Amino acid sequence: TIENAAGKESKMLNDINGYTRTCGLIGNPVEHTLSPVIHNTLSMVLGENLAYVPFHVENGRLEDAVKGAFALNLLGLNVTVPYKSDVIPYLTDIDPLAENIGAVNTLVQTETGYKGYNTDMPGLYRAMCEDGVKVKGEKVLIRGAGGVARAVAMLLLDKGAREAILLNRTVQKAQEVADEVNRIAGRKFSKAMSVDAYDTLPAGKQYLAIQATSVGMYPHCDAAVIEDPAFYEKIHTGYDLIFNPPKTRFMELVEAQGGKAYNGAKMLLYQGIIAFELWTGCKVESWLADKVYERMQEAKKTEDGK
Ligand code: NAP
């Protein structure tokens, strides 16, 4: 059980031996990451001889970092901001979903180098399934048009959503993303809309909304792109990809109009779990996912208290 595993935690460093495999995270910054909690807990409970370590990679050193990791026989890496797209030229292979999304967050060792995957979107989808949020056949509003919003639109296409409307402050950016997604879809699946134009959307709780901007993220917790309750009346479910704070202003506004609201913590959990499964071949069952999620919450409270 995880309780037994937690008891063993102090012994963990002594358990590192000549057979220990290493995985890690590359990014800049990496200091506040919760990923070591996810992977080291999974390793302990599942008895995998694997250690996970964050590596701060300075700008301009990404190629050296990937080559160095391969030379050191690292089993795998996660990749975070700002390197998720920049890392692609240094891979020997790329999964088709990651290629379509244009961002990689997980590297898996092969004989000749690393293969890149995107587990953020499968992670979001697994989180939504766990939370009972349906995608197939849904009309979806995506707030934002950055790298994550684009990936969300690709996921929605892949999982059979009916349409994806991108609402963004800069409409031009939303239009570029919609055009790109429609090109891959081979039909008009996505369209762009200015954030001010939401009153043209039909009335009634018809939409699932996915909040993919950085607005409302700690320490600016009181901010939301749209405050008008009329917008939230159109939404039956709101999914905010932000996980700090746990209840964002967007979520409060959705709930105030009777909708259901979720944050991005489970997306973070499942992107990690899927990466771990790729590295080790293990299958993480839902009871263990729940326990890891509890440990993430505890670790976050400790970090917040510092
Ligand atoms: P990004 O590329 O920087 O895009 C940011 C988006 O936010 C753009 O659409 C931008 O609009 C919009 N925006 C920023 N400030 C705004 C403001 N004041 N008013 C209106 N719109 C504003 O970011 P990203 O990489 O796509 O990431 C987006 C978010 O996803 C992150 O903040 C993070 O919280 C979340 N995320 C969560 C997870 C997870 O595991 N849960 C993983 C990855 C990311 P313009 O185009 O008009 O500038």
Side-chain angles (χ1 to χ4, degrees):
T1 66
I2 198 158
E3 285 72 22
N4 291 341
K8 277 198 250 164
E9 206 160 358
S10 54
K11 218 162 84 50
M12 195 185 146
L13 280 178
N14 294 330
D15 290 340
I16 289 180
N17 57 31
Y19 295 96
T20 303
R21 300 307 310 269
T22 308
C23 288
L25 170 71
I26 54 174
N28 180 5
V30 293
E31 284 69 18
H32 299 287
T33 176
L34 288 172
S35 289
V37 177
I38 300 174
H39 296 285
N40 290 323
T41 303
L42 289 171
S43 297
M44 254 192 298
V45 177
L46 294 170
E48 288 289 317
N49 190 356
L50 187 153
Y52 185 97
V53 191
F55 299 107
H56 182 122
V57 175
E58 288 298 341
N59 294 344
R61 303 299 307 272
L62 180 60
E63 183 176 7
D64 290 346
V66 175
K67 282 189 177 157
F70 189 66
L72 290 169
N73 196 24
L74 263 59
L75 179 63
L77 288 170
N78 284 137
V79 184
T80 189
V81 177
Y83 300 131
K84 288 186 185 189
S85 298
D86 295 354
V87 77
I88 292 174
Y90 310 122
L91 306 175
T92 48
D93 196 5
I94 184 164
D95 179 68
L97 177 68
E99 191 167 26
N100 275 344
I101 290 170
V104 158
N105 77 320
T106 301
L107 310 191
V108 179
Q109 189 190 48
T110 70
E111 286 199 351
T112 50
Y114 288 105
K115 177 169 179 178
Y117 293 82
N118 184 302
T119 71
D120 280 331
M121 289 305 115
L124 171 60
Y125 187 64
R126 204 146 139 188
M128 291 172 110
C129 292
E130 281 289 314
D131 287 330
V133 176
K134 187 164 121 337
V135 171
K136 197 170 169 56
E138 288 294 314
K139 299 196 321 182
V140 190
L141 300 173
I142 303 173
R143 284 245 303 256
V148 174
R150 182 185 182 285
V152 169
M154 290 302 310
L155 175 80
L156 296 172
L157 172 67
D158 192 49
K159 299 298 176 193
R162 189 160 135 195
E163 65 170 338
I165 302 174
L166 291 135
L167 287 159
N168 197 42
R169 177 178 60 179
T170 317
V171 197
Q172 171 67 21
K173 262 172 78 181
Q175 191 60 57
E176 283 166 19
V177 175
D179 290 346
E180 173 69 0
V181 174
N182 290 340
R183 190 186 59 75
I184 290 167
R187 64 190 160 93
K188 195 163 167 27
F189 166 75
S190 186
K191 68 179 179 191
M193 198 178 257
S194 151
V195 263
D196 317 321
Y198 58 83
D199 54 346
T200 61
L201 295 169
K205 291 210 163 312
Q206 299 199 14
Y207 291 96
L208 161 66
I210 300 180
Q211 203 300 110
T213 77
S214 45
V215 179
M217 199 152 67
Y218 178 85
H220 306 290
C221 306
D222 294 336
V225 178
I226 301 169
E227 282 283 338
D228 183 1
F231 173 70
Y232 296 91
E233 278 170 13
K234 300 175 197 275
I235 295 169
H236 59 74
T237 306
Y239 222 100
D240 199 329
L241 304 190
I242 289 173
F243 52 84
N244 188 16
K247 172 80 66 89
T248 61
R249 177 80 184 130
F250 168 78
M251 291 167 67
E252 284 173 0
L253 289 159
V254 170
E255 287 178 347
Q257 297 308 315
K260 285 190 176 168
Y262 302 89
N263 68 25
K266 280 198 180 157
M267 171 181 170
L268 179 69
L269 168 73
Y270 282 109
Q271 63 73 31
I273 284 177
I274 296 167
F276 188 87
E277 290 175 341
L278 284 168
W279 292 329
T280 62
C282 294
K283 173 87 182 93
V284 177
E285 292 175 22
S286 58
W287 69 268
L288 179 53
D290 292 347
K291 292 296 181 184
V292 175
Y293 188 67
E294 278 172 26
R295 301 211 68 189
M296 281 167 67
Q297 308 297 322
E298 286 161 20
K300 211 187 134 309
K301 274 189 211 142
T302 312
E303 174 74 26
D304 290 349
K306 278 182 190 165

